[in-house]
Amino acid sequence: MTTTRDLEKLLGQSINGDMDAFERLYHATSAKLFGVVLRILKNRAQSEDALQDIYVRIWQKAGDFEPGRASIITWMATIARNRAIDIVRRQRPESDIEDAEIEILVSHDTVFEEVVLADEVRQLEYCLDGLEDDRQQIVRLAYLEGWSRAELAERFAQPVGTIKTWLHRSLRQLKECLGS
């Protein structure tokens, strides 16, 4: 799992010309940004082309990112959204497209869903931060990366039963924190 802090660090390294860091940033965020672009353009090939241009813009504007203003993923999604809207406007003669049509492409429901999802992710990150470090790692590896209980037991040098107990207790703690 790549956290907001991880993404910010990768972007910071990219500012200094670290192509490997930028590649890791791309791999961690491209699926999300592709979804944003595809919802607007409604054409997979065109969205793939746009995504490449979007990452060039992110590379060029990396120094403009201000962590206090927005999360990094919000900043990147805004660049993606704006680029996709520019493409839609460029493809149609001005007389054929109205701003209202653009708003339909980027519906309020979609934006609202993204805001709610971002808030839920922040809440989950907050609750995960409340777990002990090794418990955080175990939960992330088990539920976000699909590690088996046996793999976790080997990695943390604990019996499988202990790993199951840690996961159960950690999930209970997360559920309480999330108010579920």
Side-chain angles (χ1 to χ4, degrees):
M1 166 102 184
T2 307
T3 66
T4 298
R5 282 174 273 178
D6 294 335
L7 296 176
E8 288 174 0
K9 182 178 177 185
L10 291 172
L11 186 66
Q13 292 169 338
S14 300
I15 292 169
N16 297 323
D18 186 338
M19 292 295 290
D20 290 333
F22 193 73
E23 183 177 348
R24 290 192 308 273
L25 179 70
Y26 175 87
H27 287 294
T29 59
S30 60
K32 166 93 171 139
L33 297 188
F34 181 75
V36 169
V37 174
L38 184 60
R39 274 195 304 266
I40 296 169
L41 297 179
K42 305 206 182 313
N43 177 300
R44 187 170 197 81
Q46 192 176 39
S47 297
E48 289 169 355
D49 290 342
L51 193 65
Q52 298 310 309
D53 184 46
I54 288 161
Y55 276 94
V56 168
R57 288 174 189 244
I58 290 169
W59 174 265
Q60 292 168 340
K61 296 179 175 227
D64 296 343
F65 174 66
E66 298 176 35
R69 281 187 82 195
S71 76
I72 186 169
I73 198 68
T74 300
W75 178 77
M76 293 173 73
T78 299
I79 291 172
R81 176 185 176 274
N82 290 343
R83 180 66 185 126
I85 290 171
D86 289 346
I87 291 169
V88 169
R89 285 187 172 136
R90 191 181 68 232
Q91 287 177 339
R92 297 183 187 174
E94 244 181 87
S95 60
D96 288 353
I97 190 163
E98 301 288 330
D99 284 339
E101 290 179 72
I102 296 293
E103 286 306 314
I104 290 169
L105 290 173
V106 186
S107 73
H108 295 292
D109 291 341
T110 301
V111 172
F112 178 74
E113 289 168 6
E114 288 181 9
V115 167
V116 168
L117 180 59
D119 188 51
E120 290 171 350
V121 169
R122 278 191 295 277
Q123 180 66 26
L124 179 58
E125 288 290 337
Y126 171 79
C127 292
L128 278 168
D129 286 343
L131 297 175
E132 296 172 30
D133 288 345
D134 58 346
R135 304 308 193 273
Q136 282 182 39
Q137 287 181 315
I138 288 172
V139 168
R140 290 176 193 276
L141 292 172
Y143 296 106
L144 300 176
E145 295 189 32
W147 284 38
S148 70
R149 304 311 183 250
E151 290 171 318
L152 291 168
E154 184 176 322
R155 163 86 186 272
F156 291 93
Q158 297 292 329
V160 172
T162 300
I163 296 298
K164 288 180 180 180
T165 301
W166 286 358
L167 283 169
H168 178 74
R169 289 178 182 163
S170 296
L171 290 178
R172 187 174 344 123
Q173 187 177 343
L174 286 173
K175 186 175 181 179
E176 288 172 10
C177 179
L178 292 168
S180 303

